[in-house]
């Protein structure tokens, strides 16, 4: 009897103190959690954070890290002791096709676990997570509403392939295809039926390169990177699994949760920020922070600082989630470093906060409130943009040609677009001839809409590549269905520093936003009177355009026609009429834009705070959103001109880059304006090289070689291909003479020489600093020596005086 009472008391205490563990006890409710990683520093710190958060959340059952490691990686791998681990064969390089696709390790790891792990035979339910997640409370499938045949998952609305030809090609049941991912909670029997198909469907979609484009998959890179996600959705459809979908279980930091919802998972797959602090996991791709004793990620603002940042209580909740994510990750790193024998860290205000009762209270486990029983999809809103559901959809376009020159510009612009968090879809308008397209290598650089090349006009034979821009926009709007309300049009030779949105700059129907191009003097003279019926409405604008879709539909055809019209008007090419310093008609497309807009009475909102040319002095306090590096700029002996790199294939040459700009610390001019100008120039140059670095990293280039070997290759390419053959010649030779002018361009060799001068200048500066410090130290030492001698002599004099007085007294 006493034993029975004791057992009842113990059971009651278990329910009261640990409801999650108690819920997991019982027949048919054995739970196991899986997550997949590769052997490297990047996944090690993620695993430390996830495992710590799972322990803190009180996740019931066991947790297994599925570690995909190649035999050549294991000897040098440092993270074998992180959590309970099952080593699985690496599929990063596919054993049959040779395709490099690390994301396939997730389904391959699950298949291996089911076949070779004893744990899989003693489990009823499985939760599958991603490594880049922080768990805030126990994830219990049956509490979330999961049933056998009906897994629970988060909503991935961007998986467009469930609604189009992709699903029809890759599953016999496209009607069952669910847009899900992030967190998967399912019965073990469902996982056994699904896992082999998850792997095979992933391989199948990955090989279907003809359907990688963004408009089919929703993958903004158009590179087949989300094939594994489609492999899951198509495999689940194939076996008849119908998901219970919810968008409240998981949230990306930087987004705002719905009122009254406490998400259980923070998925930090995207960059996010709080005030001036920001975090992006990609910036820590090779970070050994899990193995560097007592090193943490930069601390986010404290809760009391967040309290003062935002008045909207719901937006404030989103900011609190963002700092909770990184604070929990850092707390996990502190405990991990202690567990591996690191010395006790020095006291800091931040460490004290992580160990405080306040932080413990803020991060205590959250329990699901049972509201997610129905199938439901909701929309989350980005905190950083303070966007609400009244904000219109936007789409960003930029025009290029299929040449190495435009490829490196595309890499730079695309990287900056992602970093700037430009909302909406992005499309590269790629103008290519059929012949050039056969040999073109840059299909995967950006989501792409292919356009017939207008370099050589089909009617007049005029060689004028700039006309591809209006021709491409017209082709896109005529062939693509879009639900975007506003279109942002950029040039390829730009670097984004922040998002460009119509609501920030006041764009509306009939009133596009653009940046000033004051040199378009043709708006003030006979040129406008000849080419538009409304010369008074001609605006000197270009560079960045934000236009309502209805305006663009009326405008695009006229933009092309007016460009052709101005280009054909050679009688008015003169500089004093057009403002074109080369008097070659090269800026006809810009006038085509202004004259077409005037024809339709589109009155521009002209904003001078959007765009700046590197090398120009910025207006104080203005936060420019775009660098337009269309002109040569430099700092000291370093300079950059995009024309110098017209024929250099820096995109397909592993680890190729541009000469590094000077260190910002060396910019020490007395003139504040000149200093700000130089810092912006350095920022632009660095942004291009950073984009190239990540491009080469994604391409899995071998270890970087020295800059000298790369520069020699590029120098050879540039000097041997200095001219552009027949394509650079038009009938009057103006284009070559005015815009290429190879003889006047600086070669890569001269740029490399300039860099050596910069390094030499840095060494001289460093030597000068050392000499100054040495002189200063010697001066101080001499001063101290003189003072010491003075006081020593004085003490001796006092002693002699005392002795003399003493002697006199005795006498």
């Amino acid at each position: 009897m006493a034993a029975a009472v004791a057992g009842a008391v113990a059971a009651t205490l278990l329910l009261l103190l640990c409801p999650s563990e108690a819920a997991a006890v019982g027949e048919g409710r054995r739970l196991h959690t899986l997550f997949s990683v590769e052997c490297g520093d990047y996944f090690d710190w993620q695993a430390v954070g996830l495992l710590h958060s799972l322990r803190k959340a009180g996740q019931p059952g066991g947790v297994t890290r599925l570690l995909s490691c190649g035999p050549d990686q294991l000897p040098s791998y440092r993270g074998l002791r992180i959590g309970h681990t099952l080593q699985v064969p690496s599929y990063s390089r596919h054993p049959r096709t040779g395709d490099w696709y690390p994301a396939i390790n997730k389904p391959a790891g699950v298949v291996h676990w089911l076949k070779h792990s004893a744990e899989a035979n003693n489990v009823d339910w499985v939760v599958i997570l991603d490594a880049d997640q922080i768990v805030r409370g126990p994830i219990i499938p049956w509490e979330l509403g999961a049933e056998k045949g009906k897994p629970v998952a988060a909503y991935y609305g961007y998986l467009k392939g469930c609604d189009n030809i992709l699903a029809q090609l890759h599953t016999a049941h496209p009607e069952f295809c669910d847009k899900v991912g992030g967190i998967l909670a399912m019965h073990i029997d469902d996982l056994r039926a699904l896992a082999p198909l998850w792997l095979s469907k992933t391989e199948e979609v990955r090989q279907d390169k003809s359907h990688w484009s963004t408009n089919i998959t929703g993958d903004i890179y158009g590179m087949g990177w989300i094939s594994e996600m489609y492999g899951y959705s198509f495999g689940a459809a194939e076996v008849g699994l119908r998901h219970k979908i919810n968008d409240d279980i998981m949230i990306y930091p930087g987004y705002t949760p719905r009122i009254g919802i406490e998400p259980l998972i923070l998925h930090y797959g995207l960059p996010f920020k709080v005030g001036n602090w920001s975090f992006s996991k990609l910036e820590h791709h090779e970070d050994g922070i899990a193995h560097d004793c007592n090193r943490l990620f930069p601390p986010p603002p404290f809760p009391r600082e967040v309290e003062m940042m935002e008045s909207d209580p719901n937006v404030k909740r989103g900011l609190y989630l963002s700092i909770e994510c990184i604070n929990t990750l850092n707390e996990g790193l502190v405990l991990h470093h202690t567990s591996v024998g690191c010395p006790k860290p020095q006291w800091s205000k931040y460490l004290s906060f992580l160990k405080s009762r306040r932080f413990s209270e803020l991060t205590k486990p959250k329990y699901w409130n049972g509201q997610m029983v129905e199938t439901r999809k909701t929309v989350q809103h980005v905190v950083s943009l303070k966007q609400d559901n009244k904000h219109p959809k936007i789409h960003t376009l930029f025009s290029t040609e299929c040449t190495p020159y435009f490829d490196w510009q595309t890499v730079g612009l695309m990287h900056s677009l992602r970093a700037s968090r430009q909302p909406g879809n992005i499309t590269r308008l790629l103008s290519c001839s059929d012949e050039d397209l056969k040999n073109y290598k840059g299909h995967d650089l950006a989501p792409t809409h292919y356009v017939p090349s207008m370099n050589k006009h089909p009617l007049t034979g005029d060689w004028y590549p700039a006309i591809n821009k209006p021709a491409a926009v017209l082709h896109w709007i005529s062939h693509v269905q879009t639900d975007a309300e506003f279109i942002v049009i950029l040039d390829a030779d730009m670097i984004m520093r922040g998002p460009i949105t119509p609501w920030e700059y006041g764009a509306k129907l009939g009133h596009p936003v653009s940046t000033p191009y004051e040199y378009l003097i043709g708006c003030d003279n006979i040129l406008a009177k000849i080419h538009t019926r409304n010369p008074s409405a001609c605006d000197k604008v270009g560079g960045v355009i934000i236009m309502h879709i209805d305006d663009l539909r009326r405008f695009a055809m006229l933009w092309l026609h007016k460009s052709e019209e101005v280009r054909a008007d050679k009688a008015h090419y003169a500089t004093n009429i057009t403002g074109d310093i080369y008097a070659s008609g090269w800026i006809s497309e810009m006038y085509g834009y202004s004259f077409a807009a005037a024809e339709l009475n589109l009155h521009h909102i002209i904003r001078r705070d959007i765009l700046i040319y590197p090398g120009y002095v910025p207006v104080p306090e203005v936060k420019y959103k775009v660098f337009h590096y269309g002109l040569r700029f430099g700092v000291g002996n370093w300079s950059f001109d995009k024309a110098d790199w017209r024929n250099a294939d820096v995109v397909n040459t592993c680890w190729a880059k541009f000469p590094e700009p000077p260190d910002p610390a060396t910019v020490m001019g007395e003139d504040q304006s000149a200093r700000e100008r130089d810092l912006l120039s350095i920022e632009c140059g660095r942004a291009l090289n950073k984009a190239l670095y990540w491009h080469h990293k994604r391409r899995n280039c071998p270890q970087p070689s020295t800059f000298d070997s790369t520069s020699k290759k590029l120098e050879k390419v540039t000097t041997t291909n200095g001219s552009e053959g027949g394509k650079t010649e038009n009938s009057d030779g103006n284009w070559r003479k005015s815009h290429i002018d190879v003889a006047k361009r600086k070669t890569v060799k001269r740029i490399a020489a300039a860099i050596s001068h910069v390094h030499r200048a840095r060494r001289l500066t460093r030597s000068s600093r050392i000499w100054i410090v040495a002189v200063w130290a010697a001066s101080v030492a001499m001063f101290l020596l003189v003072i010491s001698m003075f006081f020593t002599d004085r003490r001796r004099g006092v002693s002699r005086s005392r002795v003399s007085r003493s002697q006199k007294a005795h006498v």
Side-chain angles (χ1 to χ4, degrees):
M1 183 66 179
V5 171
V9 170
T12 304
L13 287 173
L14 181 62
L15 285 167
L16 290 173
L17 298 177
C18 195
S20 299
E21 288 287 358
V25 173
E27 186 64 29
R29 291 196 166 183
R30 296 168 300 176
L31 179 60
H32 203 87
T33 303
L34 303 174
F35 69 100
S36 173
V37 299
E38 300 160 45
C39 51
D41 292 342
Y42 180 55
F43 282 100
D44 284 355
W45 62 257
Q46 294 179 44
V48 166
L50 176 59
L51 288 167
H52 168 65
S53 70
L54 284 165
R55 288 189 293 267
K56 190 168 185 174
Q59 177 71 2
V63 180
T64 297
R65 179 180 65 146
L66 304 177
L67 179 65
S68 300
C69 232
D72 57 326
Q73 297 173 300
L74 273 174
S76 60
Y77 178 56
R78 300 185 285 177
L80 284 174
R81 296 173 57 192
I82 297 175
H84 175 62
T85 299
L86 175 68
Q87 293 184 38
V88 301
S90 174
Y91 259 59
S92 294
R93 178 76 65 187
H94 197 282
R96 181 169 48 83
T97 66
D99 177 40
W100 179 262
Y101 182 54
I104 203 173
N105 283 314
K106 187 174 181 179
V110 170
V111 168
H112 188 89
W113 178 78
L114 287 169
K115 287 183 178 179
H116 300 285
S117 173
E119 297 162 345
N121 298 320
N122 297 289
V123 168
D124 302 302
W125 294 88
V126 178
V127 172
I128 302 176
L129 302 173
D130 290 337
D132 56 345
Q133 293 178 339
I134 293 295
V135 175
R136 307 177 71 231
I139 303 169
I140 303 173
W142 51 92
E143 289 188 0
L144 300 177
E147 305 173 48
K148 192 171 182 179
K150 295 181 179 179
V152 165
Y155 179 55
Y156 272 7
Y158 57 84
L159 297 178
K160 294 181 180 180
C162 275
D163 301 327
N164 57 37
I165 190 174
L166 201 66
Q168 295 168 15
L169 288 172
H170 295 291
T171 175
H173 300 286
E175 71 277 9
F176 289 168
C177 185
D178 290 325
K179 302 175 183 179
V180 294
I183 177 255
L184 306 168
M186 67 176 64
H187 195 275
I188 188 67
D189 293 344
D190 293 335
L191 186 60
R192 290 189 187 279
L194 166 69
L197 276 169
W198 183 4
L199 177 57
S200 64
K201 290 292 179 183
T202 299
E203 294 172 310
E204 187 179 311
V205 178
R206 178 67 182 171
Q207 293 172 35
D208 186 6
K209 294 185 179 181
S210 60
H211 294 98
W212 278 7
S213 60
T214 303
N215 61 325
I216 294 177
T217 64
D219 178 3
I220 62 170
Y221 304 107
M223 296 172 60
W225 192 252
I226 59 177
S227 298
E228 172 271 317
M229 299 180 190
Y230 278 115
Y232 175 86
S233 292
F234 295 159
E238 201 78 0
V239 297
L241 299 182
R242 305 305 305 272
H243 292 83
K244 293 188 176 182
I245 307 170
N246 189 273
D247 204 29
D248 292 330
I249 300 174
M250 183 185 81
I251 195 170
Y252 288 88
Y255 286 57
T256 301
R258 294 193 320 122
I259 295 174
I261 295 297
E262 282 287 0
L264 295 183
I265 298 171
L266 304 176
H267 191 177
Y268 54 90
L270 302 174
F272 59 98
K273 63 180 181 178
V274 178
N276 293 324
W277 173 92
S278 64
F279 181 85
S280 173
K281 69 172 188 176
L282 290 177
E283 293 179 357
H284 301 277
H285 201 274
E286 297 181 352
D287 197 333
I289 193 168
H291 309 289
D292 296 346
C293 276
N294 300 325
R295 192 162 70 83
L296 305 178
F297 293 113
F302 288 99
R304 64 175 179 273
E305 295 171 327
V306 173
E307 181 71 27
M308 295 183 288
M309 285 182 189
E310 181 59 55
S311 58
D312 186 328
N314 201 45
V315 173
K316 193 181 296 182
R317 286 177 63 234
L319 297 178
Y320 281 136
L321 290 177
S322 294
I323 65 172
E324 179 185 330
C325 176
I326 297 304
N327 285 334
T328 304
L329 188 54
N330 274 340
E331 184 185 32
L333 287 170
V334 169
L335 296 174
H336 172 72
H337 291 155
T338 301
S339 72
V340 296
C342 288
K344 185 178 180 180
Q346 293 183 348
W347 182 91
S348 71
K349 185 178 179 181
Y350 180 62
L351 277 178
S352 179
F353 168 71
L354 292 183
K355 296 176 182 179
S356 68
R357 181 180 298 176
R358 165 75 169 152
F359 180 65
S360 179
E361 282 293 317
L362 289 172
T363 56
K364 63 184 180 182
K366 311 298 186 294
Y367 297 99
W368 190 245
N369 57 17
Q371 294 180 1
M372 196 291 295
V373 179
E374 57 182 321
T375 299
R376 172 170 72 202
K377 304 168 193 173
T378 58
V379 179
Q380 298 170 334
H381 306 292
V382 181
V383 173
S384 60
L385 298 179
K386 295 187 178 179
Q387 184 177 349
D388 57 36
N389 56 11
K390 295 180 181 178
H391 283 165
K393 289 186 178 181
I394 66 177
H395 196 117
T396 303
L397 304 175
F398 66 100
S399 174
T400 70
E401 301 164 41
C402 50
T403 64
Y405 179 57
F406 279 102
D407 282 356
W408 63 256
Q409 293 178 44
T410 297
V411 168
L413 179 57
M414 284 302 300
H415 178 80
S416 68
L417 278 164
R418 292 189 288 267
S420 71
R421 303 186 70 179
Q422 175 73 357
N425 292 325
I426 298 158
T427 298
R428 171 180 63 162
L429 307 177
L430 184 63
S431 300
C432 244
S433 68
D434 292 340
E435 190 62 31
D436 289 337
L437 202 57
K438 293 177 183 177
N439 302 315
Y440 183 60
K441 301 177 182 178
H443 297 282
D444 61 348
L445 298 179
T448 300
H449 176 75
Y450 295 89
V451 182
S453 175
M454 286 275 284
N455 282 354
K456 188 173 183 179
H457 198 283
L459 298 178
T460 66
D462 177 38
W463 180 263
Y464 182 52
I467 206 169
N468 280 314
K469 185 176 181 180
V473 171
L474 176 62
H475 192 277
W476 179 81
I477 208 162
S478 301
H479 291 82
V480 173
Q481 290 185 347
T482 179
D483 60 352
E485 189 175 340
F486 282 90
I487 306 300
V488 177
I489 303 175
L490 305 174
D491 288 337
D493 56 345
M494 290 180 171
I495 293 294
M496 295 277 287
R497 305 177 74 225
I500 297 174
T501 60
W503 51 88
E504 181 177 359
Y505 297 109
K508 54 187 176 181
L509 185 65
H511 293 277
V513 168
S514 193
T515 52
Y517 272 8
E518 301 291 357
Y519 57 83
L520 296 179
I521 61 175
C523 275
D524 300 328
N525 57 38
I526 190 175
L527 201 66
K529 296 175 183 177
I530 291 175
H531 294 291
T532 176
R533 292 171 296 177
N534 299 308
S536 60
C538 185
D539 291 326
K540 302 174 187 176
V541 294
V544 174
I545 300 161
I546 311 172
M547 185 177 287
H548 195 280
I549 188 68
D550 293 342
D551 288 336
L552 189 61
R553 288 193 175 104
R554 295 186 300 136
F555 170 77
M557 179 69 77
L558 202 55
W559 182 9
L560 176 60
H561 286 339
K562 288 294 180 183
S563 298
E564 294 172 312
E565 186 181 309
V566 177
R567 177 67 180 173
D569 185 8
K570 294 184 179 181
H572 295 97
Y573 274 9
T575 302
N576 63 326
I577 295 177
T578 64
D580 179 1
I581 60 172
Y582 302 108
S584 64
W586 188 252
I587 59 177
S588 299
E589 171 271 317
M590 300 179 190
Y591 278 115
Y593 177 89
S594 293
F595 294 159
E599 199 79 358
L600 296 176
N601 275 312
L602 297 179
H603 296 282
H604 288 82
I605 299 168
I606 302 175
R607 296 293 298 252
R608 299 177 181 274
D609 56 346
I610 299 177
L611 177 148
I612 189 171
Y613 285 86
Y616 280 40
V617 175
V619 176
E621 306 301 324
V622 172
K623 303 296 183 184
Y624 297 98
K625 295 293 185 72
V626 177
F627 287 133
H628 192 180
Y629 54 90
L631 305 173
R632 178 180 291 276
F633 62 97
V635 178
N637 292 324
W638 173 86
S639 68
F640 181 85
D641 188 338
K642 68 174 186 175
D644 291 335
W645 301 86
R646 184 170 290 276
N647 299 299
D649 192 357
V650 294
V651 168
N652 294 306
T653 305
C654 267
W655 304 114
K657 64 175 184 175
F658 303 115
E660 285 290 345
D663 189 324
T666 64
V667 179
M668 305 174 66
E670 295 181 3
D671 184 353
Q672 181 66 20
S673 297
R675 185 173 186 274
E676 293 297 326
R677 174 201 64 202
D678 290 347
L679 289 175
L680 289 178
S681 296
I682 290 169
E683 181 185 336
C684 182
R686 284 185 160 191
L688 283 169
N689 274 342
K690 186 176 182 180
L692 285 170
Y693 170 81
W694 285 112
H695 166 75
H696 296 313
K697 185 78 175 173
R698 284 195 299 272
R699 292 290 180 85
N700 297 293
C701 282
Q703 287 299 313
S705 56
T706 61
F707 176 75
D708 290 339
S709 62
T710 301
S711 63
K712 286 178 182 178
K713 290 180 184 177
L714 296 177
E715 179 183 342
K716 184 177 180 181
V717 170
T718 306
T719 37
T720 56
N721 298 323
S723 64
E724 297 196 1
K727 289 189 177 181
T728 58
E729 295 286 358
N730 60 11
S731 55
D732 57 9
N734 280 338
W735 194 86
R736 172 187 287 275
K737 179 180 178 182
S738 304
H739 296 279
I740 300 293
D741 203 3
V742 175
K744 293 183 180 180
R745 274 190 284 148
K746 291 184 179 180
T747 62
V748 177
K749 181 178 181 180
R750 293 172 64 187
I751 295 176
I755 288 301
S756 67
H757 292 318
V758 171
H759 291 321
R760 185 163 59 253
R762 288 182 189 170
R763 288 194 296 271
L764 290 173
T765 302
R766 195 181 300 116
S767 299
S768 300
R769 288 176 179 172
I770 294 172
W771 182 80
I772 291 170
V773 170
V775 170
W776 179 83
S779 301
V780 171
M782 184 65 70
F783 173 75
L784 293 174
L785 180 63
V786 170
I787 291 296
S788 175
M789 292 173 62
F790 172 77
F791 281 109
T792 300
D793 289 343
R794 189 171 179 179
R795 284 196 296 271
R796 287 175 181 171
V798 170
S799 298
R800 284 196 297 269
S801 175
R802 288 175 178 172
V803 170
S804 176
R805 285 198 299 270
S806 175
Q807 290 174 347
K808 287 179 180 179
H810 286 296
V811 171

